[in-house]
Amino acid sequence: MMIVSSSARTMDPQKVLEKIGKLQASDLLPQNMENWEQTELFLKEVVRILLAYIKEENDRSSKILEFHHPAEMATLCDLQIPEKPQNLEDLLKSCEAVLKLGVKTGHPRFFNQISCGLDLVSMAGEWLTATANTNMFTYEISPVFILMEKEVTRKMIELIGWGEGEGDAIFAPGGAIANLYAMNAARHAKFPRVKPLGMTDIPTLCCFTSEDSHYSIKGAAAVTGVGTDMCFNIPTDSRGRMIPEALEMEVIKRKKMGLHPFFVSATAGTTVYGAWDPLHQIADICERHHLWFHVDAAWGGGLLLSPEYRHRLSGIERANSLTWNPHKLMGALLQCSACFIRQDGLLFQTNQMSADYLFQQDKPYDVSYDTGDKAMQCGRHNDIFKLWLMWRSKGMEGYRAQVNRLMELAAYFTARIKQTEGYELVVDPPEFLNICFWYVPPSLRHLDEAEKKARLEKIAPKIKAKMMERGTTMVGYQPDKQRPNFFRMIISNQAITRHDLDFLVQEIIDIGKGL
Amino acid sequence: MMIVSSSARTMDPQKVLEKIGKLQASDLLPQNMENWEQTELFLKEVVRILLAYIKEENDRSSKILEFHHPAEMATLCDLQIPEKPQNLEDLLKSCEAVLKLGVKTGHPRFFNQISCGLDLVSMAGEWLTATANTNMFTYEISPVFILMEKEVTRKMIELIGWGEGEGDAIFAPGGAIANLYAMNAARHAKFPRVKPLGMTDIPTLCCFTSEDSHYSIKGAAAVTGVGTDMCFNIPTDSRGRMIPEALEMEVIKRKKMGLHPFFVSATAGTTVYGAWDPLHQIADICERHHLWFHVDAAWGGGLLLSPEYRHRLSGIERANSLTWNPHKLMGALLQCSACFIRQDGLLFQTNQMSADYLFQQDKPYDVSYDTGDKAMQCGRHNDIFKLWLMWRSKGMEGYRAQVNRLMELAAYFTARIKQTEGYELVVDPPEFLNICFWYVPPSLRHLDEAEKKARLEKIAPKIKAKMMERGTTMVGYQPDKQRPNFFRMIISNQAITRHDLDFLVQEIIDIGKGL
């Protein structure tokens, strides 16, 4: 592997196309084992396209997107499945076209989602994952990745702060499924007979979450047959944090009505405001009323990596379960999400179906390493390698610095907003890396509050639409309760600099001027 | 993008390490925007490692694995999360080590799972997907991929044979979750009040699937709160096909007991035997009893691509829902799985939670393209591009040829087994690409049936263990009902040749000789 053949060199794309453009996939490996050289040229040409994209994405002067309406977009890219095979030139052109028409979510000025940025080590990890193309159900076919998952989750459990012998985990395809795992495990812990016999013979279950929590908690209530109306919304304070007294009142009220409370989901870092529910107080209530205490730390979990800020999650060590998405604050590629269950063995008990064809007991190794039977999924994508490789590349120290730096940038942006005319914070000071704000154009500034509010509702969508036309930056907006549409700025991309934040502040002013 | 700098050339790995080995990830993009050249060198070095792996994996003389027990494996690879960042040299060495210690699931002689093989176009697609790193919830951030998913599912619905205006779909993280989608939609179609109110106020639901069906049907019954014991196993015939008369008797019996049957899952291509449940007869029963008719075609769905063999799925067009995993027979990279629902709009009705922060109605484009609200997940991995690019590379014609060729290879292998001493087919002839067989070593051949059976139970595990030690090939085994452990050969990797099948036949003889 030390000597590189001349064919392995990256050549002029035009020459590559002359050489392999008219070939088809069936001329390459694994269909045609003779043509390694051509196979290598094709894959290297794909990589050349990807590298050019990465370079452009990191160039701040490049556009984040070229916006097209769906009907127009459909004419710009031939998406249909053809009768005849497309040749390699067509495939390579498709790759370029798709990247050109897409949204550069790793661009340093893309602030639109909670998961932003493209960590290139994590990306390299995902390329390897694709090449290894294995499945996480057994040690038999994924020996290294299974051990890696064990090791990384052990580290994460240590950060959560659970005790010796406590804690089990499963990587899940996203936070919504992780929350579903937790609710299902909670039900199993309380009423194990639901697994065989269903919900018929038990009291009417109900659960609680704050009105600012993620919609997947209600989603889990729907899927499990608990019911969305049996998932009660607890009011939040003006900063978006669950009011614990309101929770306890609601629990007592629902008990009196004959319902059976079983599950409370607190949020560590809410989706819109980034708020921190008071975990200790909620844990106390859960203890008093014998309720399962779940923490949805999908977004906020990453803060456990910072000794300076992890106190915001104080009380998380009392959780019975929690969701933590490394594809959010930690910057792993999508998807990378895990559900942690404190009671060891419960994941197995809840989910095992003991399929003979996969989980034979007479295998030649210790079959306790076959994690598949604790999963709700059968086949399970390898989401661990991209996280592990990235984490190794940063170490604990690097992550600490990265997370702290993002928190400092959020403080900087907050200060900028506060001192810039026309900007108003929705929550002041922000709780986390979400900075929610209105931009009030000059024409609205002297209106009375009621009219200003009514007209403000339409400002964010207008600014956003123009922003997408310009393609220079992207930030999300939404209304909330009685509040008119406001922007939600997210600072989670490690590529962001102060200069990018200054840019956003000015860009919105420029766009908003004429409104 | 036409001129390639000299730095873009692949250089001697030793020189690369001298140049960048001591750097850290924080010296590269996106943390350090100055160092594009070093970033490119790092990523190209990763690609060099991956290409070397691909080349080796496709070399039949290479070993599929070097087996190590878990405790030993843990000593061969440092998996822990360090305090300090690892440098690029360490990261690159980790990539090589992980690949070396893993199982080469794309090796032409790896026959162990239903999803085998590494299609390099699909892999290139997954590399691009990783680089684009976007999320499938809205058109806003995934315009091209959302349209692509629409186009590909339209094609798949056409292959299923549903009528004009029928059919909706969602890509799901694996067949188990796809089956869960289907059961949940079926319940919603019948009892929409379960979504808000839970299972309390409705009759006791029950469902039916064959005893040879995939365990995820019972898994879905557990999660939804229906209960695994309320999921009744219908007996199969000696070829593994559901006995429709037994289904109807069971439905009538359970109704008489006061249960409320609502869902039947037929399997098109069972996991172990590859059997085809009689879809038309099951559809008739479902019509008579007003039951939702689901078809789990996770494995068999790919046969719809062959005009010569698709008749085996005749009746699938009558399904209310179906699961189809392109990561199985179609050879897409893991994971690629879809759930199809015939009644348009039902997926939305079942799963929508109307989150304001994602699915605003005042966006500047037609928001019906925001598919996120029909998903059970919130963030959703892009599983479409790797399928689309691969399908384009083959066209309908290429897939037809590929699937037909696999069917011919299965017939060839079956004939070889039948004519080779010591081999016995479990199901003769096999129904699909699963060929289940025993190998009876010479020492057992003259025993009486009872003793032979008892001793046969231990033969497959022993041969498998030796096979893993040798690392030359891999094939799965399991017991079933009264049958002792037998091998389940799967022919789904397009790289397989007759020579590979001959090799397996001989290898088992060689290993089994001494037993």
Side-chain angles (χ1 to χ4, degrees):
Chain A
M1 300 205 324
M2 296 310 259
I3 293 144
V4 178
S5 69
S6 65
S7 73
R9 305 221 163 173
T10 306
M11 47 163 99
D12 182 317
Q14 205 49 51
K15 282 201 187 134
V16 173
L17 289 186
E18 278 165 26
K19 209 158 171 177
I20 63 162
K22 301 292 168 250
L23 297 181
Q24 297 183 352
S26 55
D27 297 315
L28 305 182
L29 269 60
Q31 293 94 318
N32 185 332
M33 296 288 186
E34 301 302 307
N35 289 338
W36 171 247
E37 194 187 334
Q38 291 85 335
T39 305
E40 199 179 21
L41 275 174
F42 170 70
L43 291 173
K44 288 199 163 190
E45 183 59 12
V46 171
V47 169
R48 188 194 61 76
I49 291 168
L50 298 180
L51 291 175
Y53 175 82
I54 292 166
K55 192 175 182 191
E56 196 190 337
E57 178 173 71
N58 279 287
D59 174 358
R60 289 179 164 76
S61 69
S62 75
K63 291 180 81 171
I64 292 179
L65 80 164
E66 287 176 32
F67 181 75
H68 303 285
H69 286 280
E72 190 189 357
M73 183 66 93
T75 67
L76 295 173
C77 190
D78 171 19
L79 294 175
Q80 70 173 321
I81 301 300
E83 279 303 309
K84 304 266 176 201
Q86 304 283 290
N87 65 28
L88 300 186
E89 180 169 358
D90 292 328
L91 297 178
L92 291 165
K93 294 222 148 93
S94 293
C95 289
E96 284 188 308
V98 161
L99 289 171
K100 189 173 172 330
L101 294 169
V103 176
K104 296 195 184 71
T105 59
H107 193 289
R109 291 174 183 169
F110 177 85
F111 310 110
N112 210 66
Q113 315 294 141
I114 281 185
S115 47
C116 294
L118 180 68
D119 185 283
L120 295 178
V121 174
S122 186
M123 185 197 74
E126 190 71 344
W127 288 5
L128 184 147
T129 299
T131 303
N133 191 36
T134 194
N135 203 318
M136 295 295 284
F137 36 52
T138 58
Y139 179 85
E140 182 175 330
I141 62 162
S142 281
V144 193
F145 300 123
I146 291 279
L147 293 182
M148 201 176 267
E149 202 172 79
K150 236 182 157 76
E151 181 64 24
V152 172
T153 53
R154 200 193 54 71
K155 186 75 193 174
M156 292 171 87
I157 286 167
E158 186 186 308
L159 287 165
I160 292 164
W162 282 338
E164 191 70 35
E166 286 184 328
D168 194 2
I170 188 97
F171 275 75
I177 303 283
N179 284 333
L180 175 60
Y181 263 109
M183 191 180 286
N184 195 32
R187 178 173 64 181
H188 189 77
K190 197 107 180 186
F191 292 106
R193 68 177 182 275
V194 170
K195 183 179 173 186
L197 299 175
M199 298 273 276
T200 308
D201 191 29
I202 59 162
T204 301
L205 299 180
C206 67
C207 56
F208 307 86
T209 190
S210 94
E211 58 188 6
D212 281 14
S213 70
H214 191 263
Y215 69 91
S216 56
I217 301 294
K218 273 195 193 296
V223 174
T224 52
V226 168
T228 54
D229 289 357
M230 297 297 126
C231 180
F232 295 101
N233 275 348
I234 307 302
T236 51
D237 64 19
S238 64
R239 307 178 55 71
R241 298 171 300 196
M242 189 194 284
I243 301 170
E245 296 76 17
L247 169 66
E248 187 153 29
M249 278 172 57
E250 190 75 25
V251 168
I252 292 167
K253 178 176 158 193
R254 298 302 163 185
K255 275 186 182 173
K256 280 193 183 143
M257 288 175 65
L259 300 181
H260 190 101
F262 82 112
F263 181 88
V264 174
S265 177
T267 313
T270 60
T271 313
V272 175
Y273 298 117
W276 307 95
D277 285 347
L279 301 185
H280 276 299
Q281 288 168 271
I282 296 171
D284 290 342
I285 295 167
C286 288
E287 279 175 18
R288 274 200 291 280
H289 298 273
H290 310 290
L291 305 175
W292 182 278
F293 176 39
H294 175 67
V295 179
D296 181 354
W299 171 217
L303 213 57
L304 293 170
L305 292 158
S306 161
E308 289 75 15
Y309 292 101
R310 58 165 293 141
H311 63 88
R312 300 205 181 175
L313 294 101
S314 178
I316 200 167
E317 68 283 0
R318 297 174 64 186
N320 296 107
S321 61
L322 67 97
T323 291
W324 176 354
N325 290 4
H327 70 224
K328 293 194 161 89
L329 181 50
M330 291 176 75
L333 256 66
L334 283 162
Q335 282 182 308
C336 192
S337 172
C339 176
F340 295 85
I341 304 279
R342 188 169 180 179
Q343 181 187 327
D344 196 24
L346 186 61
L347 265 175
F348 268 107
Q349 291 155 29
T350 309
N351 297 303
Q352 73 168 341
M353 298 286 147
S354 305
D356 272 345
Y357 79 98
L358 266 182
F359 311 122
Q360 306 91 318
Q361 299 301 303
D362 50 8
K363 287 181 181 179
Y365 58 85
D366 175 358
V367 293
S368 72
Y369 286 88
D370 286 356
T371 56
D373 219 7
K374 69 182 179 188
M376 205 177 276
Q377 301 178 272
C378 172
R380 194 160 60 90
H381 187 261
N382 166 9
D383 290 331
I384 193 65
F385 186 68
K386 61 190 165 209
L387 171 61
W388 179 83
L389 193 70
M390 179 180 61
W391 207 334
R392 299 266 291 189
S393 80
K394 297 179 195 292
M396 297 303 290
E397 287 183 7
Y399 254 129
R400 173 182 183 171
Q402 179 174 324
V403 168
N404 288 350
R405 183 176 165 276
L406 292 171
M407 292 297 280
E408 283 155 25
L409 284 171
Y412 173 79
F413 184 72
T414 303
R416 286 282 281 120
I417 287 290
K418 288 183 79 150
Q419 74 204 185
T420 306
E421 208 187 342
Y423 280 95
E424 287 179 30
L425 284 170
V426 179
V427 171
D428 181 14
E431 294 256 318
F432 190 25
L433 300 167
N434 318 37
I435 298 109
C436 295
F437 63 87
W438 289 282
Y439 177 71
V440 188
S443 62
L444 267 63
R445 287 181 203 163
H446 306 294
L447 299 176
D448 65 53
E449 280 305 307
E451 185 163 358
K452 188 172 126 186
K453 197 171 152 183
R455 294 194 38 198
L456 213 42
E457 178 69 12
K458 298 203 169 63
I459 294 299
K462 277 184 190 161
I463 292 176
K464 174 70 177 272
K466 280 218 162 39
M467 206 179 252
M468 287 177 74
E469 270 170 38
R470 288 187 178 207
T472 49
T473 184
M474 261 175 95
V475 56
Y477 73 86
Q478 67 279 300
D480 184 52
K481 298 168 207 159
Q482 304 312 312
R483 290 162 171 159
N485 274 317
F486 54 85
F487 286 108
R488 180 197 64 166
M489 172 69 177
I490 294 291
I491 300 180
S492 70
N493 182 352
Q494 60 186 329
I496 298 174
T497 63
R498 290 188 171 203
H499 187 63
D500 297 314
L501 302 176
D502 294 341
F503 177 86
L504 178 72
V505 171
Q506 192 54 46
E507 187 73 354
I508 290 178
I509 291 174
D510 290 350
I511 294 172
K513 239 180 347 224
L515 296 177
Chain B
M1 301 208 323
M2 297 310 258
I3 293 145
V4 177
S5 70
S6 66
S7 74
R9 306 220 163 174
T10 306
M11 48 163 103
D12 182 314
Q14 206 47 51
K15 282 199 187 135
V16 173
L17 289 186
E18 278 165 25
K19 211 161 168 172
I20 62 162
K22 301 291 169 252
L23 297 181
Q24 297 182 351
S26 56
D27 297 316
L28 306 183
L29 267 62
Q31 292 96 316
N32 185 334
M33 295 290 184
E34 303 302 308
N35 289 338
W36 171 248
E37 195 189 331
Q38 291 83 337
T39 306
E40 200 179 18
L41 275 175
F42 170 70
L43 291 173
K44 288 197 165 192
E45 183 58 12
V46 171
V47 169
R48 188 194 61 75
I49 291 168
L50 298 180
L51 291 176
Y53 175 81
I54 292 165
K55 192 176 182 190
E56 195 190 338
E57 177 173 71
N58 279 286
D59 175 359
R60 288 178 164 76
S61 69
S62 75
K63 289 180 83 170
I64 292 180
L65 81 162
E66 287 176 31
F67 180 74
H68 302 285
H69 286 280
E72 189 189 358
M73 183 66 94
T75 67
L76 295 173
C77 191
D78 170 20
L79 294 174
Q80 71 173 321
I81 301 299
E83 278 304 308
K84 304 268 177 201
Q86 304 283 292
N87 67 26
L88 300 186
E89 180 169 357
D90 291 329
L91 298 178
L92 291 165
K93 293 223 149 91
S94 294
C95 289
E96 284 188 308
V98 161
L99 289 171
K100 188 172 172 331
L101 294 170
V103 175
K104 296 196 184 72
T105 60
H107 191 290
R109 292 175 182 166
F110 177 83
F111 310 111
N112 208 66
Q113 315 294 140
I114 282 184
S115 48
C116 294
L118 181 68
D119 185 283
L120 295 178
V121 173
S122 186
M123 184 197 75
E126 190 72 342
W127 287 5
L128 185 146
T129 298
T131 303
N133 192 34
T134 193
N135 202 317
M136 296 296 284
F137 35 52
T138 59
Y139 179 84
E140 184 175 328
I141 62 161
S142 281
V144 194
F145 300 123
I146 291 278
L147 293 182
M148 201 175 267
E149 200 172 80
K150 238 183 155 75
E151 181 64 23
V152 173
T153 52
R154 200 194 54 69
K155 186 73 192 176
M156 292 171 87
I157 287 168
E158 188 185 308
L159 287 165
I160 292 165
W162 282 337
E164 192 70 35
E166 286 183 329
D168 194 1
I170 188 95
F171 275 74
I177 303 285
N179 284 333
L180 175 61
Y181 263 108
M183 191 180 286
N184 195 31
R187 178 173 64 180
H188 190 77
K190 198 108 181 187
F191 293 105
R193 69 178 182 274
V194 170
K195 183 179 172 185
L197 300 175
M199 297 275 275
T200 308
D201 191 29
I202 58 162
T204 302
L205 299 180
C206 68
C207 56
F208 307 86
T209 190
S210 94
E211 59 186 7
D212 280 14
S213 70
H214 191 262
Y215 70 91
S216 57
I217 301 294
K218 275 196 192 291
V223 175
T224 54
V226 168
T228 52
D229 289 358
M230 296 296 127
C231 181
F232 296 101
N233 275 348
I234 307 302
T236 51
D237 65 18
S238 64
R239 306 179 55 71
R241 298 171 300 196
M242 190 195 285
I243 300 170
E245 296 75 16
L247 169 65
E248 188 154 29
M249 277 172 56
E250 189 75 25
V251 168
I252 292 167
K253 177 175 160 194
R254 297 303 163 185
K255 275 186 181 173
K256 279 194 185 145
M257 288 175 64
L259 301 181
H260 190 101
F262 81 112
F263 180 88
V264 174
S265 178
T267 313
T270 59
T271 312
V272 175
Y273 299 117
W276 307 96
D277 285 348
L279 302 184
H280 276 297
Q281 287 168 272
I282 296 170
D284 290 342
I285 294 166
C286 288
E287 279 176 17
R288 275 200 291 280
H289 297 273
H290 310 290
L291 305 175
W292 181 278
F293 176 39
H294 175 67
V295 179
D296 180 354
W299 170 218
L303 213 59
L304 292 169
L305 292 158
S306 161
E308 288 74 17
Y309 291 101
R310 57 165 293 141
H311 63 88
R312 299 203 181 175
L313 294 101
S314 178
I316 201 168
E317 68 283 359
R318 297 173 65 185
N320 296 108
S321 61
L322 68 97
T323 291
W324 175 355
N325 291 4
H327 71 223
K328 294 195 160 89
L329 182 50
M330 291 176 77
L333 255 66
L334 284 162
Q335 284 183 305
C336 191
S337 171
C339 175
F340 295 85
I341 304 278
R342 188 170 180 178
Q343 181 186 327
D344 198 22
L346 186 62
L347 265 175
F348 267 105
Q349 291 155 31
T350 308
N351 296 303
Q352 76 169 337
M353 297 286 147
S354 305
D356 271 345
Y357 79 99
L358 266 182
F359 312 120
Q360 305 92 319
Q361 298 302 302
D362 51 7
K363 286 182 181 176
Y365 58 85
D366 176 357
V367 293
S368 71
Y369 286 88
D370 286 356
T371 56
D373 219 6
K374 70 181 178 189
M376 205 177 278
Q377 300 178 271
C378 172
R380 192 160 62 89
H381 187 261
N382 167 9
D383 290 330
I384 193 66
F385 185 69
K386 63 189 161 207
L387 171 61
W388 178 84
L389 194 70
M390 178 181 61
W391 207 334
R392 299 267 289 190
S393 80
K394 297 178 194 294
M396 297 302 290
E397 287 183 6
Y399 255 129
R400 174 183 182 171
Q402 178 174 325
V403 169
N404 288 350
R405 183 175 166 278
L406 292 171
M407 292 296 280
E408 282 155 28
L409 284 171
Y412 172 79
F413 184 72
T414 302
R416 286 281 281 119
I417 287 290
K418 289 182 78 149
Q419 74 204 184
T420 306
E421 208 186 342
Y423 280 94
E424 285 179 32
L425 283 170
V426 178
V427 171
D428 182 14
E431 294 257 317
F432 190 24
L433 299 167
N434 317 37
I435 298 108
C436 295
F437 63 87
W438 288 283
Y439 178 71
V440 186
S443 62
L444 269 63
R445 286 182 203 161
H446 305 293
L447 300 176
D448 65 55
E449 279 307 304
E451 184 163 0
K452 187 171 128 187
K453 199 170 150 182
R455 294 195 36 198
L456 213 41
E457 178 69 11
K458 298 205 170 63
I459 295 299
K462 278 187 190 158
I463 291 177
K464 174 69 177 271
K466 280 219 161 37
M467 207 179 251
M468 287 176 74
E469 269 171 38
R470 287 187 178 209
T472 50
T473 184
M474 261 176 96
V475 56
Y477 73 86
Q478 67 279 299
D480 185 51
K481 297 167 206 161
Q482 303 313 312
R483 289 162 171 159
N485 275 317
F486 55 85
F487 287 109
R488 179 197 65 166
M489 171 70 176
I490 294 290
I491 300 180
S492 70
N493 181 353
Q494 60 187 329
I496 298 173
T497 62
R498 290 188 172 202
H499 187 63
D500 297 315
L501 302 176
D502 293 340
F503 177 86
L504 178 71
V505 171
Q506 190 55 46
E507 187 74 354
I508 290 179
I509 291 173
D510 290 350
I511 295 173
K513 241 182 343 225
L515 297 177

